[in-house]
Amino acid sequence: AQKLKAREEQNKTIFQMIYTAECVDLCFVIDATNSMKKTILIVKDNIRIIVREVNRTNPNLKLRLAIVVYRDLHYRKRYEVLDFVESLQKFEDFICSIKAARKPNISDRPEDMAIGI
């Protein structure tokens, strides 16, 4: 309960900072490893909610969005990047294309989180 309250306070602070800004570059780093298969849709929906809320509460804000997706080290397509865009449609198209790594019968392997950062 305390962690949730602390996170809510953090979010409130972040939204207040965004509210006072004129231009914001917002980048999401997404874990799309095999272990995220069951939750990747929830992650993508929450990102959409955040972007909608920022736009709704800050109609004059120039918002640029980016995404970095990382996967396991052994995965052929270890990362994907959408560089900063102002187009919500391009952002949404990219979100729709994100899939978690699918490697059945392989235990959880090391992920390439460093490349995401």
Side-chain angles (χ1 to χ4, degrees):
Q2 285 182 343
K3 284 184 180 181
L4 181 59
K5 186 171 182 160
R7 182 169 294 205
E8 287 174 352
E9 286 300 316
Q10 257 184 336
N11 289 345
K12 188 187 295 184
T13 301
I14 291 168
F15 277 110
Q16 184 61 37
M17 290 169 62
I18 291 171
Y19 182 75
T20 59
E22 294 177 9
C23 179
V24 170
D25 288 347
L26 185 57
C27 180
F28 296 92
V29 179
I30 300 175
D31 176 350
T33 57
N34 188 43
S35 62
M36 291 295 290
K37 281 192 296 195
K38 294 180 182 178
T39 56
I40 196 77
L41 293 176
I42 296 167
V43 169
K44 291 166 34 170
D45 285 344
N46 282 320
I47 289 171
R48 289 180 179 106
I49 291 167
I50 290 167
V51 170
R52 267 196 309 265
E53 186 66 12
V54 168
N55 277 322
R56 185 188 68 76
T57 58
N58 304 281
N60 297 321
L61 179 70
K62 179 182 175 188
L63 181 63
R64 295 185 340 139
L65 302 164
I67 301 176
V68 178
V69 179
Y70 68 90
R71 294 185 179 83
D72 296 322
L73 285 169
H74 71 281
Y75 200 71
R76 181 176 42 89
K77 197 173 186 181
R78 286 180 21 211
Y79 66 94
E80 296 176 78
V81 176
L82 173 68
D83 204 353
F84 286 100
V85 296
E86 292 180 34
S87 167
L88 289 178
Q89 188 59 55
K90 285 182 183 177
F91 184 77
E92 177 62 29
D93 291 346
F94 191 84
I95 286 180
C96 288
S97 74
I98 297 170
K99 307 271 189 282
R102 295 172 193 245
K103 293 287 183 182
N105 304 324
I106 294 178
S107 62
D108 198 15
R109 298 263 181 102
E111 48 201 46
D112 200 359
M113 187 171 66
I115 205 165
I117 297 170

